[in-house]
Amino acid sequence: MAMTDPKQLLTSVFEAAVAAADPELTIRRHLPAKPKGRTIVIGAGKGSAQMAAAFEKAWDGPLEGVVVTRYGFAAPCERIRIVEASHPVPDANGLEAAKLLLQTISGLTEDDLVVALISGGGSALLPSPAGNLTLADEIAVNEALLASGAPISAMNTIRKHISGIKGGRLAAAAHPARVVSLVVSDIPGDSPALVASGPTVPDEASRADALRLIETYRIALPANVMAHINSAAADAPQPTDPRFARNEVHVIASAAVSLDAAAEAARMQGVETVILSDAIEGEAREVGGVHAAIAREVATRNRPFNKPVLILSGGETTVTLRAKGKGGRNSEFLLAFAIGIDGLQGIDALAADTDGIDGSEDNAGAFADGSTVSRMHAVSVDAKAMLAGNNAWTAFNSVGDLFVPGPTGTNVNDLRAILIR
């Protein structure tokens, strides 16, 4: 342990987690049976372009299609068209992409196959306002959800009730073709119906559930949006709908699998590892404080785990915006964590989004240790003030501790790794 460079070790476990969700490996294991008719590939998410490229390599036969991904996340494809749009707030390119996907699957027969490549981020990338709603309405909803602190499952339940494409509606539009969904899960619990708000996977959540969640999290939505959700027009198709009878859904990568791979990578380097959970949710700064308390307990009392040890966790925290600083949920988690371990030696941590982007900046997350807060203070940065202002990116940038691996081509939620020596 004394010879191990902490940042190098933490980076290696992140890379192992990402590698376990490599679409070239995961898609090849889940190729559907070839159809009598056409093969159409559609998709949405921050990993959809890499999934499309991997599917092209693995598929022995004709195919065509279109997928939408975030700006800067494209991958070269020969037969599948890649469209880029905005994330985390929808834009006009996403609106056109949603229309294009619906056009691509129109007029199919029961002999045709639709392969849906779905990953996290698809909710924002596929705006398709229902009824009399507009793109501006969907943007307003998205911004309100992102600022609410609601968990991703709640957000996506609400999103699907204002959409013409989410909540299984895209798969319903492909009927009578068979739809096989290959899903990379970024959702705690790995429910495929919640990834990207389930464009090809319906669930049982009703508009009554959506209204309850809006009230629970005190989400202020435009009056016309509320009128829509209160109407029968918002009802989404149910899983028992006969249009879904022949469809298949496969979760091909998830946080649980990636955490196991990260743990194995650490153990191969001689570091004992424990996994707290792959489905941790909650306010990022509060989850950061809890992780800091656990790290302090191990560092000072050698419980509940014996040091040296690497503690891993996954899931997706949320941030309730209190100000307009720069940051994301991982950097906010880690700033709270750094404040909680201030002054303690022998603790190093990395928190990062496995898609390579945390929030709206170019970093996946950041590194922290017991000297982080004092190093920030040395350059006139008040860590607690930065946390209060949702300005974690600025705080970590001031000490050169941002983690910037670039887009990874997959998205299996957040990875938090805490090394206690």
Side-chain angles (χ1 to χ4, degrees), residues 255-340:
V257 173
S258 286
L259 281 174
D260 285 342
E264 182 59 25
R267 292 180 185 123
M268 291 289 288
Q269 298 177 67
V271 182
E272 184 54 42
T273 304
V274 295
I275 297 173
L276 295 182
S277 171
D278 66 355
I280 291 177
E281 298 180 279
E283 190 72 22
R285 63 182 64 190
E286 295 172 3
V287 177
V290 171
H291 279 62
I294 294 171
R296 285 199 313 270
E297 193 73 9
V298 175
T300 59
R301 293 187 171 90
N302 223 34
R303 65 183 189 193
F305 313 115
N306 293 321
K307 59 185 178 182
V309 67
L310 178 71
I311 300 173
L312 298 176
S313 73
E316 184 167 326
T317 61
T318 49
V319 173
T320 302
L321 291 179
R322 297 163 173 84
K324 293 189 176 181
K326 288 184 176 182
R329 60 181 184 263
N330 286 284
S331 54
E332 180 141 327
F333 161 92
L334 201 64
L335 186 54
F337 178 87
I339 293 169

Side-chain angles (χ1 to χ4, degrees), residues 25-316:
L25 297 175
T26 56
I27 283 179
R28 194 172 292 277
R29 297 175 187 147
H30 294 88
L31 290 177
K34 290 182 181 178
K36 294 179 181 178
R38 300 161 62 196
T39 299
I40 309 293
V41 177
I42 57 173
K46 288 181 278 188
S48 66
Q50 287 75 13
M51 294 172 76
F55 191 87
E56 278 195 347
K57 289 181 182 179
W59 188 253
D60 180 19
L63 63 86
E64 57 192 292
V66 58
V67 303
V68 57
T69 192
R70 179 178 176 159
Y71 292 123
F73 280 46
C77 289
E78 296 178 359
R79 294 170 286 172
I80 301 171
R81 179 179 173 185
I82 308 297
V83 178
E84 292 180 287
S86 176
H87 180 281
V89 178
D91 69 356
N93 275 8
L95 184 63
E96 291 305 311
K99 293 177 181 177
L100 184 57
L101 260 65
L102 288 166
Q103 291 169 5
T104 300
I105 59 169
S106 65
L108 299 180
T109 73
E110 62 182 12
D111 289 333
D112 298 323
L113 169 68
V114 174
V115 179
L117 307 175
I118 306 299
S119 61
S123 295
L125 294 166
L126 285 181
S128 183
N132 295 321
L133 301 180
T134 66
L135 176 61
D137 291 325
E138 194 153 346
I139 290 172
V141 170
N142 213 58
E143 290 177 336
L145 292 175
L146 291 173
S148 70
I152 190 66
S153 57
M155 291 188 198
N156 288 356
T157 295
I158 296 167
R159 282 168 170 152
K160 82 168 191 174
H161 285 95
I162 63 162
S163 175
I165 202 168
K166 300 177 175 72
R169 293 178 178 89
L170 184 58
H175 182 76
R178 184 168 65 101
V179 179
V180 176
S181 298
L182 305 182
V183 181
V184 174
S185 173
D186 67 334
I187 298 291
D190 296 329
S191 170
L194 293 176
V195 179
S197 303
T200 58
V201 186
D203 70 0
E204 296 178 351
S206 67
R207 57 189 168 96
D209 295 319
L211 289 166
R212 176 180 53 79
L213 291 167
I214 291 167
E215 181 179 0
T216 297
Y217 293 99
R218 300 178 181 178
I219 302 169
L221 300 180
N224 55 332
V225 172
M226 291 302 299
H228 176 79
I229 298 177
N230 274 290
S231 73
D235 288 333
Q238 292 292 297
T240 53
D241 190 310
R243 290 174 293 180
F244 305 126
R246 296 199 304 143
N247 295 355
E248 298 177 19
V249 181
H250 304 281
V251 175
I252 65 172
S254 69
V257 173
S258 286
L259 281 174
D260 285 342
E264 182 59 25
R267 292 180 185 123
M268 291 289 288
Q269 298 177 67
V271 182
E272 184 54 42
T273 304
V274 295
I275 297 173
L276 295 182
S277 171
D278 66 355
I280 291 177
E281 298 180 279
E283 190 72 22
R285 63 182 64 190
E286 295 172 3
V287 177
V290 171
H291 279 62
I294 294 171
R296 285 199 313 270
E297 193 73 9
V298 175
T300 59
R301 293 187 171 90
N302 223 34
R303 65 183 189 193
F305 313 115
N306 293 321
K307 59 185 178 182
V309 67
L310 178 71
I311 300 173
L312 298 176
S313 73
E316 184 167 326

